[in-house]
Amino acid sequence: MAMVMVLAVTLWPRRAPDAPPAPIRVIEGGPPVRREASPAPPTPEPAPRLPVPPATSGDALSAALHEERVSLASSMVVEGIDQDRPWVCAGEELNLSARLGGEPEPGAVYRWVWPVAGGGAELNPGPTLQWRAPATAGAYRVRFQVCTDLGGRRVGVLAEREVVLDVRACGAGEGQRHEALRLGVTQRGQGTFTFQALHPGGERVTAYAWDFGDGSTATTTEPTVEHTYPLQGLGSQDIKSFTVRLQARLDRGGPLEATAFALARGQPPADAPPPVDLRISRWRPNPEGGWRSDVVVRAPEKTDITWERLERILLHWDGQADVTTRDWREVIRVEEDLEHGGFRGHVRVSPAESSAEIKQILDFLYGHDATGKEVVVSWSPFKREPPPESPRALEPPPAK
């Protein structure tokens, strides 16, 4: 099952000596901008630099997670961590994506971990992270790790990198919804995406420069473009994140920039059997509020599957996507445990998750079999039909 997911702007963080993100190419040309001579405005005072918290050692984070850390030699390296914005308002979301290099390690697990109040730590799986900033402004450290399970409480660390995130106290009109340019992403097919520039301002855009993160670029005059990522080099269990950068050149003034992430999963062989037998019903109203779908998962006889987490993607009408990762039993209420890791129960969607702004919800249930191979199944627990077009008023017949 090959699958690509987008994190529009998109759970994990970190950084230490992190190289700055690659600059976006500026489109040359275009009409010159006439500038009238005017007195130089007063230089604004720079924002005060917040103290960077001391680094938390890997051993301390492992202890907070009740793990035994083992550092292992590996050819894998975390080349950098991309952010969809350089800073974030307190309480809002920041999306991160790890750039990996070297030879992939079989059975490697990607995860983000960061310290929390009280000496604990929070952990989130995957190569990308939708991190919600704390309510208090400050600098926060988040660490990305490539790990492998050594059995028991022992976790082998193959590669890691840390990032320091800038969280600011914002006033009215400074949040993400007021940004001059946003990048919407919609999946259209296997590895194919539609990217849309969302520019609410009145300035005229003369050109859009797209960098799709796979070496391909494009320049358009329209705010929408489609791109297909090559997935031939990805194994059936490989995951790769693409950092998509957009630059909008204005008729007057400097360019605007936006970033989003596209997540691609390798395609399994055409003759590969499905990992489990999945049966899910159409959603219907839940007596407790929201929606529910009956689900039955039957696992093959010669393996035992352990389920770990459920990733839920909320697709908005404007192409934006919100991604959350939870314990799978928080979303699926199991009514009967079946053999080899199978189960019977129902999937729940809360009223807040199915608000009028949401077009569709996608669920991805992650686990692993007895050999450590990842198992993923997916479904849609909710989809809203588009609103019907308003009927056109009948025009009166022409006068004779």
Side-chain angles (χ1 to χ4, degrees):
M1 168 178 61
M3 140 149 333
V4 181
M5 294 176 283
V6 172
L7 301 178
V9 224
T10 100
L11 303 167
W12 307 56
R14 150 199 185 177
R15 165 172 12 203
D18 189 14
I24 300 179
R25 297 187 306 105
V26 178
I27 307 170
E28 300 296 339
V33 178
R34 181 179 178 184
R35 302 182 184 277
E36 300 291 339
S38 59
T43 303
E45 297 183 3
R49 291 184 60 85
L50 297 170
V52 178
T56 303
S57 70
D59 290 335
L61 288 174
S62 295
L65 295 171
H66 306 288
E67 297 175 345
E68 180 182 343
R69 174 190 172 99
V70 180
S71 297
L72 301 177
S74 172
S75 63
M76 291 197 71
V77 60
V78 185
E79 296 176 344
I81 296 177
D82 294 331
Q83 303 176 203
D84 66 345
R85 47 182 48 83
W87 56 271
V88 63
C89 294
E92 292 195 340
E93 292 174 345
L94 176 70
N95 292 280
L96 305 171
S97 177
R99 285 183 281 112
L100 301 176
E103 291 296 324
E105 295 278 0
V109 175
Y110 306 139
R111 70 181 196 178
W112 304 81
V113 60
W114 60 96
V116 295
E122 191 163 342
L123 182 147
N124 213 69
T128 60
L129 171 66
Q130 189 178 50
W131 184 73
R132 179 168 292 279
T136 303
Y140 294 85
R141 292 181 180 271
V142 177
R143 178 171 300 202
F144 174 77
Q145 295 179 326
V146 181
C147 302
T148 184
D149 186 4
L150 300 179
R153 296 174 52 235
R154 301 172 71 239
V155 174
V157 179
L158 303 170
E160 59 183 352
R161 194 180 184 102
E162 192 172 71
V163 63
V164 178
L165 304 179
D166 183 5
V167 178
R168 302 183 183 181
C170 299
E174 294 181 323
Q176 295 178 14
R177 294 189 177 276
H178 301 279
E179 291 178 338
L181 180 66
R182 292 184 294 129
L183 178 53
V185 188
T186 304
Q187 181 182 352
R188 296 300 184 188
Q190 179 61 45
T192 300
F193 294 89
T194 296
F195 300 101
Q196 182 179 14
L198 305 172
H199 174 50
E203 308 93 337
R204 187 174 74 89
V205 178
T206 59
Y208 297 91
W210 310 86
D211 184 339
F212 301 109
D214 62 350
S216 302
T217 60
T219 302
T220 67
T221 56
E222 297 296 326
T224 302
V225 68
E226 186 175 280
H227 182 69
T228 299
Y229 290 96
L231 305 180
Q232 296 85 349
L234 293 180
S236 59
Q237 299 299 317
D238 293 340
I239 301 175
K240 187 172 184 179
S241 176
F242 297 95
T243 300
V244 184
R245 303 183 190 277
L246 167 64
Q247 186 183 85
R249 186 182 180 90
L250 304 180
D251 185 27
R252 295 181 179 275
L256 304 174
E257 298 175 355
T259 302
F261 301 121
L263 196 62
R265 180 180 296 276
Q267 185 171 5
D271 57 349
V276 299
D277 178 26
L278 171 66
R279 308 283 179 91
I280 187 163
S281 69
R282 183 178 174 84
W283 55 91
R284 63 183 186 276
N286 188 353
E288 302 174 2
W291 304 85
R292 61 174 284 170
S293 302
D294 297 327
V295 60
V296 179
V297 172
R298 298 184 186 277
E301 292 184 0
K302 296 183 179 181
T303 187
D304 288 307
I305 297 178
T306 301
W307 302 109
E308 299 169 343
R309 66 189 188 278
L310 185 139
E311 187 174 82
R312 172 160 287 181
I313 303 179
L314 306 182
L315 301 176
H316 295 246
W317 288 104
D318 62 1
Q320 298 293 314
D322 298 330
V323 183
T324 58
T325 302
R326 314 177 197 174
D327 183 282
W328 70 281
R329 287 183 180 266
E330 293 180 6
V331 182
I332 302 174
R333 179 167 295 176
V334 176
E335 300 165 357
E336 179 184 1
D337 290 313
L338 304 179
E339 294 181 330
H340 310 293
F343 59 86
R344 184 193 309 274
H346 62 270
V347 183
R348 293 171 292 175
V349 174
S350 70
E353 293 174 317
S354 54
S355 61
E357 295 80 12
I358 301 302
K359 176 177 66 174
Q360 187 178 10
I361 300 176
L362 302 175
D363 284 345
F364 298 87
L365 178 60
Y366 291 84
H368 64 271
D369 62 15
T371 66
K373 182 180 179 181
E374 185 178 57
V375 178
V376 185
V377 292
S378 63
W379 58 78
S380 176
F382 176 78
K383 183 177 181 180
R384 188 182 303 278
E385 298 299 328
E389 295 184 1
S390 300
R392 297 180 180 179
L394 296 177
E395 297 181 0
K400 295 183 179 180

